Structures are given as C-alpha cells and as structure tokens.
Amino acid sequence: MRSRRLVVSAAVIAAAMGIVPVSAQADPVKPAKPGTSGTSDAHGVTVTPDRAAPAGQKFSSPAERTVRTAPKARGKAAPQAKGIAAEEPTVGLDGWGTSARGVAIDATVTNAAWTLLTATVEWGDGTKEQYDVHGTQTLELKHAYQEIGYYTAKVTLSDESGTRALNTMDLWTLGSDFTPHAPTRLLDTRDGTGAPKKVVGAWGTARVKVGGAPGIPANATAVVLNLTVTNPSRAGHITAFGTGDERPTSSNVNYEPGQTVPNLVIVPIGDDGYVDLYNHAEGSVDLIADVTGYFTHTSSSGYTSLTPSRLVDTRTGLGAKKGQVGAGSTFGVQIAGRGGVPSGVTAVALNVTVTDPRSAGHLSVFPSDRQATTSSLNFVAGQTVANAVIVPVGPDGKINVLNRATGGSDVIVDVVGYYNPAGQSAYMPVRPERLLDTRGDASWNYGPLDDFGYAYMHLGYNRPTETAWVLNTTVTETRQNGYLGVVPDPNSAWQYDSGTASWPPAPTSSTLNWTPGKTVPNLVQATGGPDGIVDFFNQSYGTTHLVVDIFGYYDKG
C-alpha cells in the first residue's frame, strides 16, 4: 500500500496577536515598567481555522466491491465468485482522516428489501461495533486508533440467516511518527553530492532525493533537514517544499551576499520522494542539506513538547565545563534525566547557540555513539548565532558537540522537546503559509515589535489536541542587538479579550539572536500555554519586525 501525505491548508490556524509592555527577565536587562497587569495596547486579529484533509487523503471502496456470501450452512459461508457483480444488499465505504489518529467512514448500505440487517464494523485494530440498519441508510462512523499505522476496516452485513455481504477498505492514520537518522549529508552542490556539481542559479531549484535514499523508506512523509546556504552572490532566501506541490510564498533560510547561513527545516516529501529547494534571488548560491530524521505513517517515536529550558551554558559552567570550547574539542551533554527529558528517548529537539567565537567555523551536534560527519550551525568570528537542531540521542542518554574551528567558542544548548515511543503527538504537515508579518499584512498594521514587547498568537484555537507548532521565525530591520524568545503564554484567550491578561514572564532562553540591520531566521517547535497561546518576545532595546511562517503541527488526537 502506498503512503499518501497529509498537507492541509494553513489558513487553518486561528491566531491572535498583540504587543504588550513587559519586564525583562533575561539579558539584555531593562528596568521593569510600572504596573502588574493590563493589555491596553494589545491588538488582536483572527484567522479562520480549517483542518479539512485534501482529496488526496480520502479513502474509498465503492459498493461494487461488496462481496456477497450465502447463508451459513454446515458452519461455513460460501463466498461470492470473483467477477460476479454484487446484488443487494451492498455497502459502499468512503473514509477520510479527522486528526492524527482519528478517521471517519460513511458506510452507505443499499437494501431495497427493507430487511433488518446488522452492520458489524471492524476497524482493523481489534475493536468492533454493531449497528441496526433498515433499508437504505448511511452510517456515519468515527474511530480513533491508539497507534499510528496502516489498517483495514471491514463492514459486514448480516441477517438472521447469517452473513450476507461485506466490504473492506485500506486506510492509514494521517499523523506521522518520527524516526531518527544518523546525521548524513544528502546534498552538497559544491562537490556534487546528491546533485550536479554547480551553484544553484538565480530563481533556480536544487532537487534532493529523500524518500528511498539510503536508510530512508520510500513512503516517508516528511524529513528533517539542516539546510545551509553558502557562497551567495546576492541577497535572497530559500524555500523548501515537496516536489510536485505548489511552491509556497514562505521562506526557510534568508541570506546576504557572502554569508553562510544554516536553518533547520521540516518539509513534506513529494510523491516521487524528492524535496525542492528554490533559490529566490537574483544571484547564485551553494546549498548543503543534512538529514537527521524522517516521518512515516508507521508507529515509531511521538513528540513531547517542553517549556524551553537551558541545559548547557559554557559561560557559567551549566551542564559543561566553564570556559570556551577549544578548537577541535568535543564535549558531551547529558540529555536523559534533565530539563524534563526522560530516559529512553530516541531524539531531542534543541536550540543551539554559539556566542563570542574566536574564529570562523561550525558546530556539529551528533549522538554519543556516532562520529560527527555534518554541520549543525555555522559562524564567523565574534558572531552570536542560533539554530534549531533535532538530533538522535545515544544509548547512554547523551549527545556530543564538536567545535570545528581554529578558535574557541562559548556554546548554549536549550531543550524544547523530545521524541520517544511513548510520545503521543504525531506530526501533521500543512501547506506553508505566512501567519504574521509586522511589516504590514492583512492581519497586522501595528508596526514593528516594541523594545521588550511581544506578540501573542493563539495557535491552539479550538484545537485542544494540538501540542506544538513547527514555525519559521524571521526578524528583519533590527535596530539594536537582541534576541527572540518564543515561549508559552499562561493567559487564556478570554483574558486577552476581556483585558484582564497579566504580563507573561519574559523568556529565559533564546530562539534566535541578531545584530543591528540583520535579517535572521530560525525554526522553532513552539509550545503553547494552557489555552494554546504562544508569545514572541523582542528582547532588545530597539524595535524589530517579525515574520512567522507555519509548516506543521503536532497532534495527540
């Protein structure tokens, strides 16, 4: 059975946003503003939610496939001969996904004789239901599977004499589980790995083979790539999307001439197994793509989101030896048992930051039982740069960090979530879409984020089973040094609507860092508060514009 990908419309997310004065709780430090609560300068907007699965995600077994059987005789049923059209009663099946594990089936029974029938529904996971059917009738059936996977649903019609007709339909859950993959290079246009050895030209596309690549099944639905731009001749951005899909207007990596810029992407895989990387620029670039994991409709590891917390800060000696990581040096990071991460995890979602590097280079983040073969983030001397990282965890519960540079550097590691077999949240990609652009769009005309202000976004609107959202955040037109913090908001939507929301605490971890005048992107797996609200803090003495694109979400339903 061939897998199909879930990609729903992302006009789907209900969002509310506002700028609120806050007191600073992390560097850079600013005196607290007076007062303890209030949202007098908050601004809200709403986007209508929509999660309907596209036509390609629907399942069907028409009534013509109904198989008739004779009444029971001597303990056995005689099946209908193949190729003989089914007589009444018949049952046609039409199904579709409703959530990560939920499905719905319309079972249309046609029986002109109006004989009372019993419809037995078997969902393929050992559960069974029965319904009484009179004549022609459509049963509206719903079910939630305990595990991600492929199933065969069967509806059997019977009367007092025994089984009379049945139909079956193959289906699969729409959510996908994660499988870690040893960090491996799939693409490098500099040396011809995975594509021709040449730069990607202006408005050009590099195509990356993912599904069916070594160690990745052909039916993988989405992939985690660390995407790096290097040697760009002009400013621009890269957009990643599944081959065959409509190219979205969102961006994944923004760059300036001569920069080397990494960013993590979680992108659907095209039906042919490829991912397209489009260079939206008037100049050429080299592209590098490293895989660290993939998603399938097969039970593996689900996601558990965490409130971001700091595991390592070499400036203070938190989680590692105090002092800069030397040139070519590696240090281990204990993951299991820290920051809310249990033992037995298969992979961890991190935000890794390099600060005050003495020379240009890159960091490699990799499992403790493997060798470093790829890069996780690149930097130049004196730069502070962050990048999201999803990395497999070694059997000892650790990962390693290698400083591939000729000079030392300080390293910060924040954890945002983890994957393990007990995780209940499955990944649901959406068509990439822009949720917020403070430079001005249909939902925002309030200008840039104020210094030490924040925007709040109600991503969990009427979606209580969604646990985290995969977003790309980009800051631009920055005025002062600063960083962006993306954290859960403790307030409810009602509190914002009624003007009684309290000022949320400022973040103690960063998502991305910037210097004046820079455009900086970073992926974030954002966790919402009790009501599914996420805060985007401008931790800076100057204003900044913020762009937020959505690529998917995790659902435990």
Side-chain angles (χ1 to χ4, degrees), residues 171-487:
L171 50 80
W172 52 90
T173 56
L174 298 186
S176 297
D177 269 1
F178 180 74
T179 299
H181 190 286
T184 304
R185 185 143 295 173
L186 297 183
L187 173 73
D188 191 337
T189 60
R190 300 170 303 177
D191 61 15
T193 298
K197 182 181 177 180
K198 64 178 182 178
V199 296
V200 182
W203 322 114
T205 299
R207 184 159 292 180
V208 187
K209 177 67 172 178
V210 178
I216 304 175
N219 65 350
T221 60
V223 63
V224 178
L225 297 174
N226 195 62
L227 179 60
T228 304
V229 171
T230 192
N231 304 322
S233 62
R234 302 285 291 273
H237 67 261
I238 302 297
T239 297
F241 58 101
T243 300
D245 294 341
E246 181 180 353
R247 188 175 74 237
T249 58
S250 57
S251 64
N252 294 93
V253 186
N254 299 71
Y255 56 83
E256 298 176 2
Q259 278 190 320
T260 296
V261 185
N263 199 17
L264 195 72
V265 301
I266 301 178
V267 58
I269 301 171
D271 289 337
D272 61 357
Y274 282 83
V275 168
D276 280 352
L277 305 175
Y278 175 69
N279 177 30
H280 189 279
E282 295 180 350
S284 62
V285 297
D286 275 309
L287 293 177
I288 304 165
D290 301 322
V291 62
T292 62
Y294 58 87
F295 295 87
T296 63
H297 294 305
T298 302
S299 183
S300 183
S301 290
Y303 184 66
T304 300
S305 60
L306 297 170
T307 298
S309 64
R310 187 144 293 175
L311 298 183
V312 173
D313 190 338
T314 60
R315 299 171 302 179
T316 64
L318 174 65
K321 181 182 178 181
K322 184 177 180 179
Q324 290 204 327
V325 182
S329 297
T330 300
F331 70 93
V333 181
Q334 180 66 42
I335 296 295
R338 299 184 61 212
V341 181
S343 60
V345 297
T346 57
V348 63
L350 306 169
N351 202 64
V352 180
T353 304
V354 167
T355 189
D356 197 25
R358 304 303 185 187
S359 69
H362 69 263
L363 284 190
S364 293
V365 183
F366 55 102
S368 59
D369 61 338
R370 302 293 180 98
Q371 296 295 316
T373 58
T374 61
S375 63
S376 300
L377 63 91
N378 301 70
F379 51 85
V380 297
Q383 185 182 25
T384 296
V385 60
N387 196 30
V389 174
I390 297 176
V391 60
V393 177
D396 58 357
K398 295 181 179 180
I399 63 170
N400 288 336
V401 179
L402 167 63
N403 176 23
R404 287 189 181 272
T406 57
S409 178
D410 278 307
V411 177
I412 302 166
V413 179
D414 299 319
V415 62
V416 300
Y418 61 88
Y419 300 86
N420 69 347
Q424 291 300 303
S425 294
Y427 184 60
M428 307 276 278
V430 302
R431 293 189 183 96
E433 184 173 330
R434 186 142 292 173
L435 296 184
L436 171 64
D437 190 338
T438 63
R439 295 170 298 183
D441 59 20
S443 61
W444 187 272
N445 58 4
Y446 310 114
L449 293 184
D450 286 335
D451 55 311
F452 296 89
Y454 74 96
Y456 66 90
M457 190 176 291
H458 195 185
L459 289 166
Y461 181 75
N462 287 337
R463 298 287 173 177
T465 62
E466 294 177 14
T467 60
W469 298 271
V470 177
L471 310 172
N472 203 64
T473 55
T474 304
V475 295
T476 190
E477 298 181 31
T478 55
R479 304 300 183 188
Q480 298 285 339
N481 291 342
Y483 67 86
L484 182 75
V486 182
V487 291

Side-chain angles (χ1 to χ4, degrees), residues 85-109:
E87 301 176 3
E88 292 184 356
T90 63
V91 55
L93 306 178
D94 292 294
W96 60 95
T98 59
S99 62
R101 292 175 175 80
V103 297
I105 295 177
D106 282 348
T108 301
V109 178

